[in-house]
Amino acid sequence: MSAAPGGRVNEENGSSFVGTAGPLSADAELCFAGWNSREAYDLQPRMFGVTHWGYEVVDVMVSVSADGNYNALSFYADNPSIRSTKLQWKVDPEAKQNWKGQVFSVDESTTVSAGGLNFTVARRGDSQNYKEYVVRFTR
């Protein structure tokens, strides 16, 4: 398994993205962070209840490749100033399908199966500069 930055780069804040692609192992962590640094393909609200598919600015987006399947699963994290922080995931980041995920409180976790992968998402205590999530994969 490996992880790499995903989604489109938001040109205005793309330089705030931190993290290098690499292999995922049982004894090491890869860290990705950003501030409005990426764009995720999602259902966008418009006025009068009409929606359309388009790109939404998010803080960080990461794609996981597993067992030779490039972009087997994608994640994005967002920490908007007027809503709670959330972590979302879906199998095909460009598909017209909704992201799944939730808003997590500190120390809250959930175990999920998606795209043939089993993983647990947990929200850690916040660091000085970031809301922190850890995603652990199991076979």
Side-chain angles (χ1 to χ4, degrees), residues 26-98:
D27 58 348
E29 291 183 1
L30 294 178
C31 298
F32 298 90
W35 177 78
N36 291 340
S37 66
R38 309 304 274 194
E39 295 180 350
Y41 195 64
D42 204 357
L43 196 57
Q44 303 292 307
R46 281 191 177 171
M47 295 179 66
F48 309 113
V50 175
T51 59
H52 74 288
W53 287 94
Y55 285 90
E56 171 184 12
V57 174
V58 298
D59 291 323
V60 65
M61 188 169 162
V62 175
S63 292
V64 174
S65 299
D67 299 327
N69 185 2
Y70 179 72
N71 281 349
L73 193 58
S74 291
F75 294 87
Y76 83 73
D78 201 22
N79 184 27
S81 60
I82 59 173
R83 295 186 315 271
S84 298
T85 182
K86 64 183 175 183
L87 185 82
Q88 308 238 79
W89 53 85
K90 76 176 173 177
V91 175
D92 181 350
E94 297 294 320
K96 290 184 177 180
Q97 96 193 82
N98 291 331

Side-chain angles (χ1 to χ4, degrees), residues 7 9 11 15-16 19 25 27 38-39 53 74-75 84 105 123 128-129 138:
V9 173
E11 294 298 328
S15 63
S16 77
S25 66
D27 58 348
R38 309 304 274 194
E39 295 180 350
W53 287 94
S74 291
F75 294 87
S84 298
S105 299
R123 173 140 174 237
Q128 180 179 354
N129 297 313
T138 56

Side-chain angles (χ1 to χ4, degrees), residues 6-27:
R8 295 189 331 185
V9 173
N10 177 10
E11 294 298 328
E12 183 178 356
N13 298 310
S15 63
S16 77
F17 187 85
V18 176
T20 304
L24 296 172
S25 66
D27 58 348

